[in-house]
Amino acid sequence: MIKGDFGDKFQTILLEKVQFEPPASKSVKKVEVESNVKKTESETKKASSSDADSKTKNSSGAKKAAADNQTSAEKKLPEKVDERDKDISVSLLKLQIGHIKKAWKHPSADSLLVEEIDVGEAKCRQVVSGLAKFCSPEQLTNRLVVLVTNMKPSKLRDVASEGMVLCASNEDHTVVEPLIAPEGAKVGEFILFSGHEGKPEDVLNPKKKQFEKIAVNLFTDDKGIATFKGIPFMTSAGPCTSSIPRASIK
């Protein structure tokens, strides 16, 4: 038998011990990883959905705000005025100072008087007025009055009329009188209204009811001054007046 130390005769072989991991542990980790992945994907989808909803809400909000602004703007816009119903300026009327040369009763109407009126033209105008119940022919003779000289000529109970004498009337129409021209006013001069310098119509169109629309705004103030919407009837000698305050004029 051979005895001896053979330790240096053999090469040392190093063995690495492998950690054993049960299959179940790997499966659990895989499930956890997959779960985390799905959770991350779900959170990502929720975030995307939230962002989309936010954008949609913002867009809807912006559209609603724009619509509200448009509606508000439309409300602020003035409504279109019908040309047929718009206000008619007093400047369409030819109002002149006239001098009644003589007056007499209408031949076939007890409520009417006929006047011959000078407005500075070559010929006096004949005018029919419904003043018989309020004035006598003598009271009108030699009186200065305000005459509408662009009324369409007409006939009242077969008598021609070429104008209209403007009169003031109280509320129940029991007191009526022609407007009073100021002392010093010139025969034929035009009545003026501050701020209304438009050109008058040659002849008022009765079908358009121009005078009627203007007359709604003719009245005397608290002092009896004749006005259109508070603007005085002015002559070279001052405003026209009436003894009836707060009266309608027509």
Side-chain angles (χ1 to χ4, degrees):
M1 175 182 284
I2 299 174
K3 293 182 179 180
D5 187 2
F6 297 98
D8 55 349
K9 301 298 182 179
F10 298 95
Q11 184 178 358
T12 302
I13 299 172
L14 297 176
L15 298 175
E16 182 180 353
K17 187 176 182 181
V18 179
Q19 184 86 22
F20 177 74
E21 186 175 347
S25 176
K26 289 182 180 180
S27 176
V28 169
K29 284 186 177 181
K30 184 177 180 181
V31 170
E32 288 178 352
V33 170
E34 290 177 350
S35 176
N36 289 336
V37 170
K38 288 181 179 179
K39 184 177 180 182
T40 302
E41 290 176 349
S42 177
E43 289 176 350
T44 301
K45 287 180 180 179
K46 286 183 179 179
S48 299
S49 176
S50 177
D51 289 343
D53 290 344
S54 177
K55 288 179 181 179
T56 300
K57 288 179 180 178
N58 289 338
S59 177
S60 298
K63 288 180 180 178
K64 186 176 184 300
D68 291 343
N69 290 336
Q70 184 177 356
T71 301
S72 177
E74 287 174 352
K75 287 180 179 178
K76 291 179 181 179
L77 289 174
E79 294 183 0
K80 290 184 178 180
V81 179
D82 192 327
E83 290 295 320
R84 294 171 298 179
D85 298 328
K86 72 178 182 179
D87 189 27
I88 297 179
S89 174
V90 70
S91 63
L92 295 181
L93 299 182
K94 275 185 183 179
L95 302 181
Q96 293 178 263
I97 298 296
H99 177 223
I100 299 179
K101 293 286 189 178
K102 63 180 181 178
W104 62 93
K105 291 183 179 181
H106 191 287
S108 58
D110 292 338
S111 62
L112 301 177
L113 293 178
V114 185
E115 304 98 26
E116 185 180 279
I117 304 177
D118 178 15
V119 288
E121 298 171 338
K123 181 182 176 183
C124 289
R125 294 192 179 214
Q126 179 173 282
V127 177
V128 179
S129 305
L131 289 171
K133 294 181 180 179
F134 309 102
C135 306
S136 67
E138 293 73 26
Q139 289 173 320
L140 289 179
T141 302
N142 288 322
R143 181 168 180 165
L144 291 180
V145 293
V146 177
L147 189 70
V148 184
T149 56
N150 61 342
M151 299 291 288
K152 185 176 181 179
S154 61
K155 283 190 176 183
L156 296 177
R157 299 289 293 271
D158 297 324
V159 175
S161 182
E162 302 171 295
M164 181 170 67
V165 175
L166 283 186
C167 299
S169 170
N170 65 350
E171 189 173 354
D172 58 7
H173 205 66
T174 55
V175 181
V176 178
E177 69 174 20
L179 290 181
I180 302 168
E183 186 177 351
K186 298 176 182 178
V187 173
E189 74 169 287
F190 286 88
I191 306 296
L192 302 177
F193 297 86
S194 178
H196 295 271
E197 288 78 27
K199 182 181 178 181
E201 294 274 25
D202 291 331
V203 178
L204 294 174
N205 187 340
K207 291 183 179 180
K208 292 182 179 179
K209 298 188 180 297
Q210 291 172 304
F211 177 77
E212 288 79 1
K213 290 179 180 179
I214 295 170
V216 172
N217 296 301
L218 301 179
F219 56 88
T220 62
D221 63 15
D222 293 340
K223 297 180 181 179
I225 296 175
T227 72
F228 168 77
K229 292 186 175 182
I231 302 170
F233 284 52
M234 288 300 297
T235 72
S236 60
C240 296
T241 59
S242 171
S243 64
I244 311 170
R246 299 179 298 281
S248 59
I249 298 173
K250 57 180 64 176

